[in-house]
Amino acid sequence: MTDDEKAILRARDFWGGLCLLVTSLFFLWKTSAIPLFGENRAGVSGADWYNSAAIVPLGIWTAMLVLSLILLAIAVRDGGARRAMTAAGIGWDPAEAIRIATIAVILVFYIFAMVPRVDFIICSGCLITALIFGYHGGHVDRMLTAAGAFVIGGLYPLIMHFPQSQWNSPHDDDWVVLGIWVILTLWALIKGRGRVASAIPWIAVIVPLVLVCAMAFGFRQNVPNRGGLIFSQIEYHYYVNIRSLWRN
């Protein structure tokens, strides 16, 4: 990597760190409105702090705040802040524009279309698969394919189950996104043929599975779409079969 390329990279880190810092502070401020230590709000006493709905977002956005500060510190130390303030900016190019635009599209459809309506494990596994293989290596065709597949997967639940009253409707949207996830996984395994590609299915399954189970059964948080295709079965067997083993 040349010195100019490194300077551009650090300038991007600087702007990215600033955006992440502002976002983290905003969501930490919003999270502060959630009772954490059993406050009495409107005559209702909160539960113990470890059962508070603020625990998960507080942990996530605190970690993001620390990450943004580290990113800014590295960027400033290596001259990224100075480069970011010059006319050269961040070295914008068409490939970079496509990368940023497709990632934004994927995240928008994930947050606003899939998470409220689709099983959390399925949509998060699809997201992880799309982001790892679509953007590992910087191949524009993979970025466009991953974003296109995600848009298709997000449009179906958005159109078919738009109102909140239908967010826990029959699992047709779960099956559609699951099918797209399987296709993306097969595409990654066929195209990739390496350690990264072979690790994608494991990461895409284990990470959202552990996260949603920790949220639901460990911290007792409300998780999105509890009636989803996979999580509804996990919750049923946990309370009916597994939990009874130690309660009895």
Side-chain angles (χ1 to χ4, degrees):
M1 180 183 294
T2 65
D3 291 340
D4 189 60
E5 290 174 337
K6 184 178 180 180
I8 292 175
L9 179 63
R10 292 309 178 208
R12 293 171 182 169
D13 289 343
F14 176 77
W15 290 119
L18 280 180
C19 292
L20 189 57
L21 176 67
V22 173
T23 304
S24 302
L25 290 175
F26 172 77
F27 281 105
L28 284 172
W29 170 63
K30 297 296 288 185
T31 303
S32 66
I34 304 175
L36 180 60
F37 296 106
E39 294 95 337
N40 191 300
R41 298 280 181 101
V44 179
S45 178
D48 296 324
W49 67 268
Y50 48 81
N51 291 328
S52 171
I55 288 294
V56 173
L58 190 62
I60 292 174
W61 293 111
T62 300
M64 290 299 172
L65 178 63
V66 173
L67 177 62
S68 69
L69 294 175
I70 294 173
L71 198 60
L72 283 171
I74 294 173
V76 171
R77 184 193 64 192
D78 293 344
R82 185 170 57 254
R83 174 61 182 254
M85 298 303 174
T86 65
I90 59 174
W92 189 267
D93 59 67
E96 184 71 11
I98 292 174
R99 185 177 74 88
I100 294 175
T102 51
I103 290 176
V105 167
I106 288 175
L107 292 179
V108 166
F109 273 89
Y110 173 73
I111 294 171
F112 296 104
M114 289 189 182
V115 169
R117 301 169 180 85
V118 180
D119 182 272
F120 183 80
I121 297 173
I122 294 175
C123 67
S124 298
C126 189
L127 173 73
I128 292 171
T129 303
L131 290 180
I132 294 179
F133 190 70
Y135 297 87
H136 177 74
H139 302 286
V140 174
D141 58 333
R142 294 182 182 179
M143 299 177 192
L144 294 173
T145 303
F150 218 82
V151 167
I152 295 173
L155 280 175
Y156 184 88
L158 193 64
I159 294 173
M160 300 302 295
H161 302 292
F162 181 78
Q164 187 172 355
S165 60
Q166 296 184 22
W167 287 2
N168 285 313
S169 291
H171 305 304
D172 54 320
D173 48 358
D174 292 343
W175 284 109
V176 169
V177 178
L178 179 61
I180 291 174
W181 181 15
V182 171
I183 293 172
L184 282 175
T185 302
L186 294 175
W187 170 63
L189 293 174
I190 294 171
K191 283 283 190 180
R193 297 180 182 179
R195 288 184 297 178
V196 173
S198 61
I200 289 175
W202 296 98
I203 298 172
V205 171
I206 293 174
V207 171
L209 181 63
V210 171
L211 177 60
V212 76
C213 288
M215 288 174 60
F217 310 126
F219 295 104
R220 299 180 184 178
Q221 302 295 303
N222 187 27
V223 300
N225 197 356
R226 299 187 80 97
L229 182 66
I230 296 178
F231 183 75
S232 62
Q233 296 301 312
I234 294 175
E235 188 173 42
Y236 171 80
H237 288 291
Y238 173 79
Y239 285 111
V240 174
N241 299 321
I242 299 175
R243 195 181 181 194
S244 61
L245 295 178
W246 65 77
R247 295 197 67 178
N248 292 336

